[in-house]
Amino acid sequence: MTTRRKTIKFKEFMDGSYKSYVPKRKSFKAFSIVTVSPTAMLDPTIITFGGIVLLIALAERYSGSIGMYDAAEKIDKLMGLIFPIGALSFFLWFIFTNPFIAWS
């Protein structure tokens, strides 16, 4: 990186006229509709729901690894039906009932 040096007169230095004009940016206000606190994810219901999904996924993987392909396929079909409906309804419940979310 090269820096360009400029020689200025002492009189210009003292009165500050050597400084080039740098236009300032216009500031603007940004408003947030919903603020979500990270501590909202520590809600026991969220942890329970995540734990249940994790246990079902592990059960499906385990049953597939020990050769119970029929059980793994049934778990997969069940989760393919229940998970999207449950996730959407849980997300809506979380948004509308969590006290850590401030509607402003």
Side-chain angles (χ1 to χ4, degrees), residues 40-76:
M41 294 298 171
L42 297 177
D43 185 37
T45 309
I46 295 173
I47 294 172
T48 303
F49 182 74
I52 289 171
V53 170
L54 183 63
L55 285 175
I56 291 174
L58 289 174
E60 180 186 359
R61 177 172 274 198
Y62 178 72
S63 62
S65 68
I66 63 172
M68 297 176 62
Y69 301 114
D70 188 42
E73 185 180 351
K74 287 181 182 178
I75 292 172
D76 182 45

Side-chain angles (χ1 to χ4, degrees), residues 4 8 14 18 22 31 45 50 60 82 84 87 91 100:
R4 188 173 177 182
I8 57 172
M14 290 306 288
Y18 72 95
V22 178
F31 296 101
T45 309
E60 180 186 359
I82 292 175
F91 178 72
F100 292 108

